[in-house]
Amino acid sequence: MTPIVSIIMGSTSDMPVMEKACKFLDDMKVPFEVNALSAHRTPDAVEKFAKEAKGRGIKVIIAAAGMAAALPGVIAASTTLPVIGVPVKGSVLDGMDAMLSIIQMPPGIPVATVGVNAAMNAAILAVEIIAVADEEMAEKMAAYKAGLGEKIEKANKELAEVKYAYKVN
């Protein structure tokens, strides 16, 4: 099985955040890989990875980074594949520093960016990108999104059963 989504993080300490992306991709039966590469500590490896990703069959890259958050941008600079940045919450500015670093890319080097620690949304976006040219993935995404609505409808019915003295309905 060849991976079509690559999850890259600057450090294995980001894995608790990225676990949700891994689980979503696994649940959707999307082949993926996970690696730790640092834009600052292993810049040559990051560039090599980015330049070779498309040739290896990767269709979308999800790159997580905290603090200065250079990893998604460095990857985007060396590939034509879509890159989705996941800002990781740090200890100083609660991930806002990482988010602002990722979204402020120069013209020609875009990085799609999700919310702080929003790894699952990054995985959903990756599958949606793939689904543009893959009918099976499109059907999986349609079913997933329909399921979201069903969960809310069920929750609303359960709320209707909750009783309070002054609750009207």
Side-chain angles (χ1 to χ4, degrees):
M1 185 176 346
T2 302
I4 60 173
V5 174
S6 186
I7 297 175
I8 306 296
M9 58 195 88
S11 165
T12 56
S13 65
D14 297 335
M15 190 59 191
V17 170
M18 299 312 294
E19 182 66 31
K20 290 181 181 177
C22 295
K23 180 164 180 6
F24 182 81
L25 294 171
D26 206 53
D27 289 347
M28 296 295 280
K29 297 178 174 60
V30 175
F32 67 98
E33 64 183 17
V34 181
N35 290 291
L37 295 170
S38 170
H40 299 109
R41 289 167 274 183
T42 60
D44 293 338
V46 171
E47 185 178 11
K48 182 178 188 301
F49 159 79
K51 287 182 175 181
E52 294 176 356
K54 188 174 184 177
R56 293 189 306 106
I58 300 298
K59 296 183 185 305
V60 181
I61 298 168
I62 299 171
M67 299 167 40
L71 185 61
V74 169
I75 291 171
S78 295
T79 186
T80 58
L81 293 172
V83 177
I84 303 167
V86 178
V88 177
K89 184 176 181 175
S91 60
V92 181
L93 297 174
D94 288 334
M96 291 300 292
D97 48 347
M99 184 180 67
L100 292 171
S101 293
I102 296 170
I103 64 174
Q104 293 298 330
M105 294 302 300
I109 313 295
V111 174
T113 310
V114 295
V116 175
N117 285 3
M120 186 169 164
N121 269 353
I124 292 168
L125 181 56
V127 175
E128 288 177 334
I129 290 167
I130 293 164
V132 169
D134 183 325
E135 189 57 38
E136 183 181 340
M137 286 292 168
E139 290 172 12
K140 287 180 184 181
M141 282 309 303
Y144 170 77
K145 292 222 172 168
L148 293 177
E150 291 166 7
K151 285 180 187 176
I152 294 298
E153 290 169 7
K154 180 181 178 210
N156 195 39
K157 286 178 185 173
E158 291 170 359
L159 284 175
E161 300 301 317
V162 175
K163 303 293 182 199
Y164 290 97
Y166 290 93
K167 180 180 172 221
V168 180
N169 73 348

